Amino acid sequence: MTEGATVTSNDRTTTGDHTTEGDEQHLRRALSNRHIQLLAIGGAIGTGLFMGSGKTISVAGPSVIFVYMIIGFMLFFVMRAMGELLLSNLKYKSFSDFASDLLGPWAGFFTGWTYWFCWVVTGVADVIAIAGYTDALIPGIPLWIPGLAVIVILLALNLPTVAAFGEMEFWFALIKIIAIVALIVTGLVMIFTGFQHDAGTASFANLWDHGGMFPHGFMGFVAGFQIAVFAFVGVELVGTAAAETKDPKRNLPKAINAIPIRILLFYVGALIILMAVTPWTEYVAGESPFIAMFALAGLGIAATVVNLVVLTSAMSSANSGIYSTSRMVFGLAQDGDAPRLFARLSKRRVPQNALFLSCILLLSGIVLIYAGEDIGTAFDMVTTVSAVCFMFVWTIFLCSYLSYRRNRPDKAASSAFKMPGGTVMVFVVLAFFVFVLWALTTQPDTLTALLVTPIWFALLFVAWLFVRRSTNHLTRHAAHVAYLRDDTTDAD
């Protein structure tokens, strides 16, 4: 189509780079393959790995390796189910789209708002982490200053075009990759040279010489799942970005299929090196093992650099979260599940009103820093709430997939990106989620957060009782679903 040409199909019009469905604007596909690949890696390497792995190692010992492998294995199937659904209909611009279409309007409402809430809560955790690492770099700085500064920076990063966001996240993710590769290389040198330190000698034997692979028994292994699940939140970001990805049929499968390799390298590989260099007994909650290892190697400057990298990682996670929440609220507003003002795009095709909403709510992170006993306690509480809500969203993916297989057998049969294991693996993963929920009840801090989380769903239920009777919701939802199911119009 030439620039400026206009094509009309049903109630949907495209003019140049401006697309509308009725009176609604649509997002532009401006993320390239390198953007989506690094976004997938950045989403899979979050603050939970850099900041939360100290606690995970201390409670689970070397068995934490298996914890990360199991979680990664299960979430790969969640991502494959999500990928098959998104590619079955390129008009699906968000998770709430396929949930609403396949399960009903309630599912779109609950999925959209819960995913938005997930990332707001995760963003709060990142603000807390950033404040903590800034305090380590600049002792004595009032914690509200870095907390407020990061929110302003995030807004500045996301207000330009989506291509600008993709470029920034590309470099954020690249910094994290370089840091982890540097840690693995440095650790291997220390191991093969028999590096001596106060806690002993760097050796792979440290993995089993201090109480075996399961030093705290089965319950210690179970405890490792609590914070480890949070390390994986954001792995579904490639799905959020699908609406703004060039050639999604090619780029989305490549990003999803690479997830297992990334988990083995960046999670399992890094953790093996950390516990081989220093016995797992030396790690404590609230301290980053990455910083400790570089300091141990006598690379004081490198330790400071890693502190900056960890801070960058938290910035990257928060940046991805703000991106995700703004797109999700935009989609909810299109469906009549959020106020219409959030369905407006700026001239640069960015949902700026939704961006402002999410950034304002991140200010609660500053309050939590001062309200909690310490930064570590606040971080653990917030991350547990986030992990539970993310598991709800992932569960909706799987339930949507079951509906898709049952009600759209023709599309499922012709899919070029089928989920391995089909419906059998769906039930395996759902059983795993039940196990994780039980694991969260075994520790006092995570149990408290688990018991608080239902308040969010109660509030959503009350809101849904009002929204479902709204004429605006009924009209806009019916029009949106009709558009999604209309095979005579093309997805832009």
Side-chain angles (χ1 to χ4, degrees), residues 303-327:
T304 301
V305 170
V306 173
N307 218 328
L308 288 168
V309 169
V310 175
L311 193 142
T312 302
S313 172
M315 278 289 295
S316 169
S317 176
N319 189 40
S320 298
I322 290 299
Y323 168 82
S324 298
T325 55
S326 62
R327 271 57 182 179

Side-chain angles (χ1 to χ4, degrees), residues 4 50 78 105 115 124 154 185 234-235 261 305 313 364 460 468 485:
F50 287 105
V78 175
Y115 192 69
V124 168
L154 289 174
V185 171
V235 72
I261 300 300
V305 170
S313 172
S364 61
L460 266 189
R468 69 174 185 170
R485 297 180 181 179

Side-chain angles (χ1 to χ4, degrees), residues 19-89:
T19 308
T20 64
E21 177 194 327
D23 63 342
E24 295 170 359
Q25 296 172 302
H26 285 263
L27 302 170
R28 177 186 293 147
R29 294 192 183 276
L31 295 178
S32 66
N33 179 52
R34 70 183 180 91
H35 290 146
I36 199 70
Q37 293 294 329
L38 269 291
L39 186 62
I41 296 175
I45 308 172
T47 316
L49 176 62
F50 287 105
M51 187 170 180
S53 53
K55 178 181 178 180
T56 316
I57 293 172
S58 67
V59 300
S63 67
V64 70
I65 295 169
F66 304 116
V67 169
Y68 279 88
M69 288 177 70
I70 292 170
I71 296 174
F73 175 78
M74 295 297 179
L75 288 185
F76 171 68
F77 291 98
V78 175
M79 295 305 99
R80 285 296 300 258
M82 176 199 73
E84 183 172 346
L85 289 175
L86 287 172
L87 294 178
S88 71
N89 185 347

Side-chain angles (χ1 to χ4, degrees), residues 62 65 203-210 212-213 271-272 275-276 280:
I65 295 169
S203 168
F204 285 115
N206 285 327
L207 292 171
W208 53 82
D209 279 353
H210 299 269
M213 296 295 289
L271 290 170
I272 288 174
M275 290 183 288
W280 68 270

Side-chain angles (χ1 to χ4, degrees), residues 29 36 44 50 72 85 149 156 162 188 202 226 248 291 330 372 465 472:
R29 294 192 183 276
I36 199 70
F50 287 105
L85 289 175
V162 66
L188 286 172
Q226 299 162 4
I291 296 171
F330 171 76
L465 292 178
N472 175 54

Side-chain angles (χ1 to χ4, degrees), residues 54 111 113 126 165 181 256 303 317 345 353 420 480 488:
T111 302
W113 279 115
D126 290 326
F165 158 80
V181 171
I256 291 174
S317 176
L345 295 178
N353 292 338
H480 191 54
T488 63

